[in-house]
Amino acid sequence: MQPLRKTLAALALTVLAACGNQQESNTLLVAGQAAFDVLRPGGRTPPPDARQVLSPALIAQSDTSALLVVQLDQNQGFTVIPEAANRGTVQWRSGDDRGLLRRDGIIVGTRGFGHDLYTADVAALDAAFDAGGAADALRVNRFLTPEGKIDTVDMICAVRLTGTETLNIYGKLKRTRVFEEDCRAGGGDFVNRYWVEANGTVRKSIERISPELGAFEITRLTE
Amino acid sequence: MTIRTRVSALVAALVLASGADAQQIRSINSYGVPGLIDMPSAQMQPDAELTTSLTLLSNGVGRGQIAFQLLPRLQAVFRYATLPDFLNVGGGEFERTYDRSFDLRFQLLKEGRYRPAVTVGLQDFGGTSIYAAEYLVATKSFGDFTVTGGLGWGRFATRGGFGNPLGAISDRFDDRPPVDVGEGGQVQSGQLFRGDAALFGGVQYQWSDRLILKAEYSSDAYVVEEDRGIIDQRTPINVGFDYALRPGVRLGGYILNGAEAGLTLQFTLNPKRSTFGSGVEARPQPVTLRPDRSANPAVWDTAWTQDGVTPVVTRARLVDDLDDEGLEVVATKIDGNRAEIHFRNPRYTTNAQAIGRAARRATAILPASVETFVLVPLNARGLSGTAVILRRSDIEALENSPNGTAEILAVAGRVDAATLDRTGLVVQPDAFPRFNWSLGPYVSLSTFDPDNPARIDLGAQLFGSYEPVQGVLFEGAIRQRIVGNRDESTRRSESELTRVRTDTNLFARTDGPFLQFATANYLWRPGRNLYARVSGGYLEEQFGGISTELLWKRDGSPLAIGVEYNRVRQRDFDKRLGFQDIDATTAFVTGYYNHGNGFHSQLSIGQYLAGDRGATYELAREFSNGWRVSAYATKTNVSSEDFGEGSFDRGIRITVPFSWVLGTQTQTSSSLLIQPILRDGGARLNLRNRLYPMVREQSAPDLTDDWGRFWR
């Protein structure tokens, strides 16, 4: 047997034979397990896209609030349901233990996506919806860096009412005002869009999470 | 974790090149630093960039380099090179040689709108100085063109040389004395910027986002290589290209002096960048709010403390729920308004995140009357450090506050857990005894052996540890080598010192199962700010005996001081139960200092294994995510001649956390120690369970530096 083949065979045998209750201390096993998770049969099967299974009937049967979230850069849709509310911030969770935090229908945090939005101060944006727009709405986004530090980005954004639109949310028509939050001139590099109903409900939005994650399109399916 | 991110994780793990931003990473020269083909430029890599490169020439020359951007303006390089038919072995015969070298580069000026970047560099400034050169170089970008021009000394002044301009300052710059190699490893300070100087320069053209074209005029005449017949130059002009294969991976190709073809492969990593950003582990559980007190006064009373059931059920739920977070509850102390939770954290890379997760879980379990949470994270050996005291109402109020991380830190109290009153502390019945074991593969790596750049053994390891009670630990590992070449090293030790490390290759020759280590340990907190350890047994692969250590470390202080004393005997080469006749006593006083911004110093003064006395200094740059890059040097009262090749002990350590590679929380990491050569002088024991690395993250400043992950 060639040395390389012998080595690979030995490695495979020792990894396959691995056992015990403290395997996480073995770096080769941790690396091997990560590789196995990807390469095993079925390991590459993509999760179903929520948009493929959602229907008006399914939504009507839901006994809880739900949002459809589409990660636009990956064109992947999933749903989230509310888990808890604390002082106006609602925590939503997905089926695979990722999380979304929203305040007044605006995203103020994500968890478990990698390059998450850690927190966002968007009080001025919500006030701008009520006022029909604002020229200088302060937005403070905070990101948790790979180093574990908080990176704070202050932006002054122009909030403009651009028109009205009637949305068809799986058969239900929702009349909305459309706002643009343009942060390009005030320290940011993005434009968010919000479809807001007369009662203040944000029915739909396209919001930039982070430069790496891009934007999420969020649609309120219920209520 | 999505499939896409999993695939990315594997790719990252395999090529060690994830998350790199191709726009910021500089194209490198054949020596592994930003530059043209052979000539350097004045550019620097992004801060903290770790650049690994491999250069191969068609004449059989090879160079491997690791360059670390220690500071935004300071880059350090380690190089391992091989040249065919270079080493003069007498009788007109030449053999392939292997050579290790170091570079330092400092950027004097950053590039401005009209101003070029200017960098001064020392290349191969110690030892055999095969590649020794100094340079002052300027680089300016003009759109897609980047122009470089420089002044070189040493090797970079062997073509077109002229009188040294520095001679105007002092005559001593006019002549470059011959290299005094000695035992190697010495800084050739008498050569720096001496002798003739010469001009070099070149231009890069950014053809596309991925492709860079390069041309240069080289001032390196390859004098010695010409003499040896290794190269036959036809022109001083070198041309080449550099292509970004994927983010963080670049391939360069070039024609050197119209005579040789070359390839350079470049991998870049940066602790500040990760494919997974802040991580893809599951979201935390939300804080559970208590009902309004005025509307539900009964829920807030403390009658539950007397019912005999609630405390028991509460403890059981704490154990279960914290277990869901990967945290192991060891002991609790719960009364009407205060709960103290001692838990091990085998999962999260920062104690701040573990504390944050535990606190949120506790809000869902503890009765409403419990307002004060005292959270005591324990390290892997069960030792406590700082206890963090949080008001439950603060946790409730700040959970979703935009600046909640800073705000919860501002109201958190910290006390030394050793000062907590243990009366009433209930140790979980199943907390002890603890038995852990694993069977799996192991790798032993010997790098930069003078005869072979890498020797590797691969085998199977059976590990076990047993903790009958808090602080008492028995642990050991048996190994069986399966394949490898570490036993093929035939270097015979000719050391003038007691052979405490130069017989390492003899230890690698054992064929049967061997005892890697087997120790009995007692670890405890003797008092406020104090940590202690006593160990006995087969302490490491080559020595057995007893080891004692005491550490003073105060929460909030950047300084810690440790003392250790070890009395050991060298083990038999078969690494079973026997010992040889070499006894050694080592003792050290060590100061640890956290400079801030991730920089840490460690100075140890004392007696080493061979009986020599001196000091070891280590400077490390660390990142909260677990990355660590450090360099150390040891100088003892052993002369360079007695020390042998290399003159003194030194090395580089690189630690890469798996959580950074995989995106999930795990404390597993991979460390690589690069020692140019292993000698007997300045040798220390490779002890497990040294106190400072084990306990430092349990108290400030480390604890608070990592606080950003509290709400993650």
Side-chain angles (χ1 to χ4, degrees):
Chain A
M1 187 181 281
Q2 298 298 314
L4 179 61
R5 291 176 61 190
K6 188 178 175 185
T7 302
L8 291 174
L11 177 63
L13 276 175
T14 48
V15 170
L16 288 174
C19 49
N21 61 0
Q22 202 175 42
Q23 295 186 29
E24 69 278 3
S25 63
N26 190 310
T27 54
L28 287 181
L29 281 181
V30 174
Q33 182 63 50
F36 177 75
D37 285 347
V38 173
L39 300 175
R40 67 185 165 83
R44 291 174 185 271
T45 306
D49 192 309
R51 291 169 292 182
Q52 296 170 357
V53 296
L54 281 173
S55 66
L58 194 63
I59 293 167
Q61 290 171 11
S62 175
D63 56 2
T64 181
S65 300
L67 305 176
L68 169 64
V69 183
V70 179
Q71 205 169 336
L72 293 176
D73 282 0
Q74 298 188 17
N75 191 26
Q76 189 177 25
F78 58 93
T79 54
V80 293
I81 59 172
E83 184 173 31
N86 184 0
R87 290 165 171 78
T89 300
V90 180
Q91 299 192 36
W92 302 74
R93 67 175 175 86
S94 67
D96 59 356
D97 273 336
R98 293 184 289 181
L100 220 61
L101 294 97
R102 300 213 310 166
R103 171 180 283 270
D104 300 318
I106 303 161
I107 290 187
V108 294
T110 61
R111 296 290 184 270
F113 294 90
H115 296 272
D116 286 307
L117 175 65
Y118 206 33
T119 68
D121 191 341
V122 293
L125 175 61
D126 183 50
F129 291 161
D130 294 338
D136 53 357
L138 174 67
R139 168 185 274 271
V140 182
N141 284 359
R142 290 183 174 81
F143 302 95
L144 184 61
T145 70
E147 287 183 274
K149 307 298 181 191
I150 307 289
D151 185 12
T152 303
V153 182
D154 295 351
M155 290 163 277
I156 300 294
C157 306
V159 182
R160 290 185 288 268
L161 176 62
T162 60
T164 60
E165 186 176 341
T166 300
L167 301 176
N168 185 337
I169 310 294
Y170 288 90
K172 287 189 175 178
L173 300 181
K174 301 289 182 181
R175 184 167 176 77
T176 63
R177 293 180 297 159
V178 184
F179 287 91
E180 268 189 6
E181 180 194 22
D182 187 344
C183 303
R184 290 174 297 182
D189 59 352
F190 58 87
V191 179
N192 289 337
R193 287 183 175 79
Y194 305 85
W195 285 257
V196 184
E197 294 178 46
N199 64 1
T201 300
V202 178
R203 179 58 56 181
K204 178 182 168 183
S205 61
I206 297 176
E207 300 175 66
R208 223 281 282 277
I209 306 302
S210 66
E212 297 84 357
L213 278 179
F216 284 8
E217 181 186 277
I218 300 165
T219 306
R220 188 171 193 113
L221 299 172
T222 54
E223 287 88 32
Chain B
M1 190 188 290
T2 65
I3 298 305
R4 183 172 296 185
T5 52
R6 278 185 173 173
V7 172
S8 300
L10 179 65
V11 171
L14 293 178
V15 304
L16 289 180
S18 66
D21 180 353
Q23 295 302 312
Q24 296 181 344
I25 298 164
R26 305 299 187 183
S27 170
I28 60 170
N29 68 2
S30 67
Y31 291 96
V33 301
L36 297 156
I37 294 161
D38 265 0
M39 301 293 108
S41 74
Q43 295 172 321
M44 288 280 156
Q45 300 287 16
D47 184 37
E49 196 79 13
L50 186 67
T51 308
T52 305
S53 60
L54 180 67
T55 295
L56 298 172
L57 293 178
S58 53
N59 60 5
V61 170
R63 290 193 286 270
Q65 284 111 181
I66 297 174
F68 182 60
Q69 194 70 38
L70 189 62
L71 294 167
R73 290 172 181 256
L74 180 64
Q75 187 180 36
V77 183
F78 170 73
R79 181 179 303 104
Y80 189 82
T82 177
L83 295 88
D85 306 324
F86 190 88
L87 186 66
N88 190 344
V89 292
E93 296 293 317
F94 295 91
E95 288 184 350
R96 177 174 286 275
T97 190
Y98 298 91
D99 187 68
R100 301 163 295 274
S101 56
F102 292 90
D103 301 356
L104 277 178
R105 291 159 44 82
F106 183 75
Q107 192 173 52
L108 300 170
L109 294 173
K110 288 189 174 182
E111 184 175 343
R113 187 173 179 185
Y114 301 110
R115 185 183 68 197
V118 177
T119 291
V120 62
L122 308 177
Q123 178 173 292
D124 192 2
F125 58 90
T128 51
S129 300
I130 291 175
Y131 293 120
E134 304 83 53
Y135 52 87
L136 183 68
V137 61
T139 297
K140 182 79 182 77
S141 296
F142 303 94
D144 292 332
F145 288 92
T146 302
V147 179
T148 291
L151 188 61
W153 288 264
R155 189 179 178 109
F156 289 168
T158 49
R159 174 183 285 121
F162 48 81
N164 191 345
L166 295 176
I169 301 171
S170 169
D171 291 344
R172 62 194 173 96
F173 287 106
D174 289 337
D175 298 308
R176 192 176 181 96
V179 175
D180 178 16
V181 175
E183 296 294 339
Q186 304 281 25
V187 174
Q188 302 290 341
S189 56
Q191 283 213 321
L192 301 181
F193 300 99
R194 305 290 175 89
D196 281 357
L199 295 170
F200 64 85
V203 62
Q204 300 180 55
Y205 175 64
Q206 186 85 38
W207 178 274
S208 68
D209 286 347
R210 291 188 160 195
L211 180 64
I212 295 172
L213 304 179
K214 303 175 174 184
E216 71 177 13
Y217 167 82
S218 170
S219 57
D220 183 351
Y222 282 85
V223 175
V224 180
E225 286 88 341
E226 284 270 7
D227 288 346
R228 302 280 200 275
I230 299 171
I231 193 169
D232 181 16
Q233 298 184 97
R234 293 166 193 166
T235 170
I237 304 297
N238 301 324
V239 294
F241 72 91
D242 186 81
Y243 185 76
L245 296 171
R246 50 155 287 154
V249 185
R250 304 183 75 97
L251 176 68
Y254 47 89
I255 301 296
L256 193 66
N257 303 119
E260 303 293 341
L263 285 175
T264 294
L265 194 58
Q266 172 188 1
F267 298 94
T268 55
L269 288 169
N270 195 313
K272 291 185 166 185
R273 295 191 303 264
S274 165
T275 301
F276 305 104
S278 55
V280 293
E281 70 268 25
R283 85 213 183 286
Q285 292 294 311
V287 169
T288 301
L289 303 178
R290 292 171 287 184
D292 182 70
R293 188 168 198 164
S294 56
N296 300 275
V299 177
W300 285 71
D301 74 27
T302 57
W304 60 269
T305 58
Q306 306 301 318
D307 66 17
V309 175
T310 306
V312 175
V313 173
T314 299
R315 285 192 172 89
R317 284 195 60 202
L318 277 174
V319 171
D320 287 346
D321 279 30
L322 266 66
D323 184 63
D324 289 343
E325 294 284 5
L327 304 172
E328 302 169 16
V329 174
V330 173
T332 52
K333 182 177 174 181
I334 302 172
D335 59 31
N337 52 31
R338 181 182 181 278
E340 190 176 311
I341 307 169
H342 298 238
F343 60 94
R344 294 194 193 219
N345 165 31
R347 174 181 293 179
Y348 299 99
T349 54
T350 64
N351 276 311
Q353 187 169 359
I355 291 167
R357 297 254 169 164
R360 274 173 289 205
R361 288 284 186 169
T363 61
I365 299 163
L366 293 167
S369 65
V370 178
E371 169 65 10
T372 303
F373 292 179
V374 181
L375 299 163
V376 187
L378 309 174
N379 62 32
R381 300 290 174 257
L383 279 180
S384 62
T386 291
V388 174
I389 304 169
L390 297 167
R391 278 191 296 268
R392 187 173 184 168
S393 45
D394 288 334
I395 299 168
E396 293 168 340
L398 300 174
E399 180 191 21
N400 297 313
S401 172
N403 197 25
T405 300
E407 290 166 343
I408 194 75
L409 177 60
V411 296
R414 303 195 311 270
V415 299
D416 187 337
T419 64
L420 295 174
D421 181 7
R422 295 183 67 87
T423 307
L425 188 68
V426 177
V427 177
Q428 283 304 115
D430 57 352
F432 298 100
R434 296 166 57 90
F435 178 64
N436 290 305
W437 68 282
S438 67
L439 173 65
Y442 80 88
V443 164
S444 284
L445 181 65
S446 300
T447 54
F448 305 111
D449 179 312
D451 301 323
N452 194 329
R455 295 184 188 277
I456 301 172
D457 280 352
L458 177 66
Q461 172 178 282
L462 177 63
F463 166 83
S465 70
Y466 180 69
E467 295 174 73
V469 294
Q470 171 70 50
V472 177
L473 167 70
F474 300 93
E475 62 175 359
I478 296 171
R479 288 182 170 183
Q480 172 64 58
R481 187 171 69 99
I482 298 174
V483 292
N485 62 355
R486 290 178 70 230
D487 60 333
E488 293 172 7
S489 172
T490 55
R491 277 207 156 205
R492 288 182 58 82
S493 172
E494 296 173 352
S495 178
E496 300 291 327
L497 306 175
T498 307
R499 295 176 185 176
V500 292
R501 288 297 183 206
T502 52
D503 282 338
T504 292
N505 57 339
L506 302 181
F507 282 95
R509 290 180 184 176
T510 183
D511 281 332
F514 60 89
L515 198 57
Q516 181 65 11
F517 64 90
T519 58
N521 307 270
Y522 180 52
L523 302 101
W524 77 106
R525 298 288 313 272
R528 183 194 298 261
N529 303 326
L530 292 175
Y531 303 79
R533 173 185 59 82
V534 176
S535 303
Y538 300 92
L539 297 170
E540 53 137 281
E541 188 177 25
Q542 298 180 18
F543 288 91
I546 60 161
S547 170
T548 61
E549 189 180 2
L550 181 68
L551 175 73
W552 174 87
K553 185 184 188 311
R554 183 168 59 82
D555 183 88
S557 171
L559 176 69
I561 297 172
V563 293
E564 72 173 63
Y565 172 86
N566 311 295
R567 179 70 181 159
V568 295
R569 174 169 287 188
Q570 193 173 46
R571 295 175 61 186
D572 278 344
F573 292 132
D574 64 7
K575 292 187 282 189
R576 292 181 185 162
L577 301 180
F579 286 91
Q580 302 186 61
D581 293 333
I582 295 176
D583 291 325
T585 300
T586 76
F588 294 94
V589 176
T590 301
Y592 308 89
Y593 196 80
N594 182 339
H595 299 279
N597 296 318
F599 286 90
H600 298 256
S601 281
Q602 179 175 329
L603 176 65
S604 296
I605 300 171
Q607 178 167 298
Y608 294 78
L609 277 171
D612 48 333
R613 294 179 177 181
T616 299
Y617 176 72
E618 180 171 11
L619 176 65
R621 185 169 182 191
E622 300 181 1
F623 301 85
S624 295
N625 55 19
W627 265 86
R628 187 175 193 272
V629 179
S630 70
Y632 78 89
T634 297
K635 188 63 182 162
T636 68
N637 57 353
V638 170
S639 67
S640 297
E641 291 74 23
D642 286 345
F643 183 91
E645 187 176 349
S647 297
F648 64 95
D649 187 44
R650 58 204 178 275
I652 298 167
R653 287 191 182 91
I654 300 171
T655 301
V656 180
F658 274 39
S659 59
W660 183 89
V661 178
L662 301 174
T664 54
Q665 288 292 309
T666 170
Q667 294 182 353
T668 306
S669 63
S670 183
S671 289
L672 175 66
L673 170 62
I674 299 170
Q675 279 177 295
I677 191 163
L678 193 60
R679 303 294 299 179
D680 295 317
R684 297 185 67 175
L685 289 170
N686 296 320
L687 291 173
R688 295 169 60 83
N689 303 322
R690 272 206 166 96
L691 289 170
Y692 183 74
M694 188 194 306
V695 307
R696 49 173 288 193
E697 292 182 356
Q698 293 174 270
S699 57
D702 284 36
L703 177 66
T704 48
D705 285 348
D706 297 342
W707 201 256
R709 297 192 70 86
F710 181 90
W711 290 117
R712 178 59 184 89

